[in-house]
Amino acid sequence: MAEQVKTESPGNVWKVLVKEGDTVAEGDVLFILEVMKMEFPHEAPRAGKVTKVTITEGQENVDGDVVAVEIE
Protein backbone atom coordinates (compact mmCIF):
# COMPACT_ATOMS: atom_id res chain seq x y z
CA MET A 1 0.00 0.00 0.00
CA ALA A 2 1.30 3.46 -0.89
CA GLU A 3 2.17 5.87 1.91
CA GLN A 4 1.32 9.53 1.36
CA VAL A 5 3.69 12.34 2.33
CA LYS A 6 1.74 15.54 2.91
CA THR A 7 2.86 19.15 2.95
CA GLU A 8 1.75 19.61 6.60
CA SER A 9 1.70 23.43 6.38
CA PRO A 10 0.82 26.04 3.76
CA GLY A 11 3.75 27.38 1.77
CA ASN A 12 5.55 27.59 -1.55
CA VAL A 13 7.31 24.61 -3.12
CA TRP A 14 10.96 25.63 -3.19
CA LYS A 15 12.53 22.38 -4.42
CA VAL A 16 11.32 18.90 -5.42
CA LEU A 17 14.18 16.41 -5.07
CA VAL A 18 12.48 13.24 -6.35
CA LYS A 19 10.54 12.12 -9.40
CA GLU A 20 8.22 9.21 -10.08
CA GLY A 21 10.16 5.95 -10.24
CA ASP A 22 12.94 7.05 -7.85
CA THR A 23 13.91 4.76 -5.00
CA VAL A 24 14.31 6.48 -1.64
CA ALA A 25 15.64 5.52 1.77
CA GLU A 26 13.93 6.40 5.03
CA GLY A 27 14.93 9.96 5.91
CA ASP A 28 15.77 11.09 2.36
CA VAL A 29 14.54 14.61 1.69
CA LEU A 30 11.70 14.48 -0.86
CA PHE A 31 10.86 18.17 -1.19
CA ILE A 32 11.43 21.51 0.52
CA LEU A 33 8.69 24.01 1.32
CA GLU A 34 9.33 27.69 1.92
CA VAL A 35 7.16 29.04 4.72
CA MET A 36 7.62 32.65 5.85
CA LYS A 37 11.10 32.76 4.21
CA MET A 38 12.24 29.62 6.05
CA GLU A 39 12.94 26.27 4.38
CA PHE A 40 11.28 23.12 5.71
CA PRO A 41 12.51 19.78 4.31
CA HIS A 42 10.04 16.89 4.18
CA GLU A 43 11.61 13.46 4.53
CA ALA A 44 10.59 9.98 3.41
CA PRO A 45 8.91 8.18 6.32
CA ARG A 46 10.18 4.84 4.99
CA ALA A 47 12.20 3.32 2.18
CA GLY A 48 10.45 2.54 -1.09
CA LYS A 49 9.69 3.61 -4.64
CA VAL A 50 8.15 6.99 -5.44
CA THR A 51 4.94 6.25 -7.33
CA LYS A 52 3.42 9.73 -7.54
CA VAL A 53 4.58 13.36 -7.28
CA THR A 54 1.77 15.92 -7.31
CA ILE A 55 3.68 19.15 -6.61
CA THR A 56 6.08 21.13 -8.78
CA GLU A 57 8.93 23.50 -8.05
CA GLY A 58 7.77 27.09 -7.87
CA GLN A 59 4.19 26.15 -7.07
CA GLU A 60 2.82 28.86 -4.82
CA ASN A 61 0.46 28.76 -1.87
CA VAL A 62 0.26 25.01 -1.46
CA ASP A 63 -2.30 24.37 1.26
CA GLY A 64 -1.27 22.32 4.25
CA ASP A 65 -2.20 18.63 4.12
CA VAL A 66 -1.80 18.34 0.34
CA VAL A 67 -0.53 14.91 -0.72
CA ALA A 68 2.80 15.75 -2.36
CA VAL A 69 4.47 12.37 -2.80
CA GLU A 70 3.37 8.74 -2.60
CA ILE A 71 5.85 5.96 -1.73
CA GLU A 72 5.10 2.30 -2.35
Side-chain angles (χ1 to χ4, degrees):
M1 184 173 160
E3 184 163 351
Q4 299 176 333
V5 180
K6 298 182 178 185
T7 57
E8 298 177 9
S9 61
N12 298 324
V13 181
W14 184 73
K15 191 93 170 156
V16 178
L17 301 170
V18 295
K19 62 184 181 306
E20 291 179 16
D22 285 354
T23 300
V24 296
E26 181 177 344
D28 283 355
V29 177
L30 305 172
F31 59 94
I32 301 171
L33 285 185
E34 180 184 42
V35 180
M36 296 178 61
K37 298 187 181 185
M38 294 181 66
E39 296 172 11
F40 291 92
H42 287 67
E43 299 176 348
R46 65 180 176 94
K49 183 178 178 181
V50 175
T51 57
K52 188 180 222 180
V53 178
T54 61
I55 57 173
T56 58
E57 286 184 16
Q59 187 174 344
E60 297 182 358
N61 300 319
V62 175
D63 289 331
D65 237 17
V66 169
V67 175
V69 177
E70 286 187 2
I71 300 172
E72 189 170 87

